[in-house]
Amino acid sequence: MTVSSPVRLIHPKRFGDDRGWFTEVYSEKAFDAVGISVRFVQDNHSLSRPMGTLRGLHYQTPPFGQDKLVRCVVGSIFDVAVDIRRGSPTYGKWVGAELSAENGCQLFIPIGFAHGFLTLTPDAQVSYKCSNVYAPANDGGIRWNDPDIGIVWPLPEGVSPTLSAKDEKAQMLKEFVSPFEYDGNPLQPLEF
């Protein structure tokens, strides 16, 4: 895990035997030891029935910004974080990773990054921890297919994702006035 990168791909250890496996998905002490000192206050769980469901790119503005720890508990997703911190040399850049029930990986996404995911299987379930409560007045989004960001979503050619009405009309990055400040840590490629 790269300590200087704000977005981190986490590989919790699994301990298995003939019954299956056990994993510790979150430990305040272990996360604190690698520089992720966040107090989580809310857990969310979503079900996306159709394969190709796209949720995002979402963020919450201060004072209700949210750090997120995302994992896929059924099926698989392509999970993305986009740097939206003003003054960042990686503003508008993105990183993504496949999270699945099989690989057990998690993505830590700090405040100042927009988050979204595409389901790669039907009936995908995603569980994520948040460092702040949901605040509808502070909820925002950036368009999933903004050409200035250029996310390469793993969709078959010619196939459009299933979107919410809110996500269909989200603003473009060039229309967004960021309330998030750059903290000196540029976005780095994820370590697999």
Side-chain angles (χ1 to χ4, degrees), residues 67-188:
D67 301 284
K68 295 178 181 176
L69 181 61
V70 183
R71 66 190 182 110
C72 184
V73 295
V74 174
S76 66
I77 64 170
F78 183 66
D79 203 34
V80 171
V82 178
D83 190 346
I84 55 172
R85 300 168 298 162
R86 71 176 179 272
S88 171
T90 53
Y91 183 82
K93 303 294 184 202
W94 64 277
V95 292
E98 183 176 335
L99 307 182
S100 70
E102 186 176 321
N103 71 22
C105 292
Q106 300 177 92
L107 198 61
F108 174 73
I109 303 164
I111 294 169
F113 289 81
H115 171 246
F117 64 84
L118 173 73
T119 60
L120 303 177
T121 58
D123 297 320
Q125 292 187 40
V126 176
S127 177
Y128 57 100
K129 297 181 145 333
C130 298
S131 65
N132 213 331
V133 297
Y134 175 63
N138 297 76
D139 187 33
I142 306 286
R143 190 85 50 87
W144 69 276
N145 61 348
D146 187 319
D148 290 335
I149 300 171
I151 297 170
V152 181
W153 297 101
L155 282 164
E157 192 170 327
V159 173
S160 295
T162 301
L163 300 166
S164 71
K166 177 181 109 174
D167 291 344
E168 282 181 351
K169 61 183 180 186
Q171 67 187 325
M172 302 299 262
L173 185 64
K174 63 185 167 196
E175 301 165 335
F176 176 61
V177 178
S178 179
F180 304 104
E181 291 188 36
Y182 177 58
D183 62 1
N185 293 315
L187 183 62
Q188 306 269 334

Side-chain angles (χ1 to χ4, degrees), residues 37-53:
S37 300
V38 173
R39 180 177 170 253
F40 292 110
V41 299
Q42 179 174 312
D43 280 7
N44 298 332
H45 190 130
S46 71
L47 165 66
S48 300
R49 292 224 182 268
M51 182 172 73
T53 297

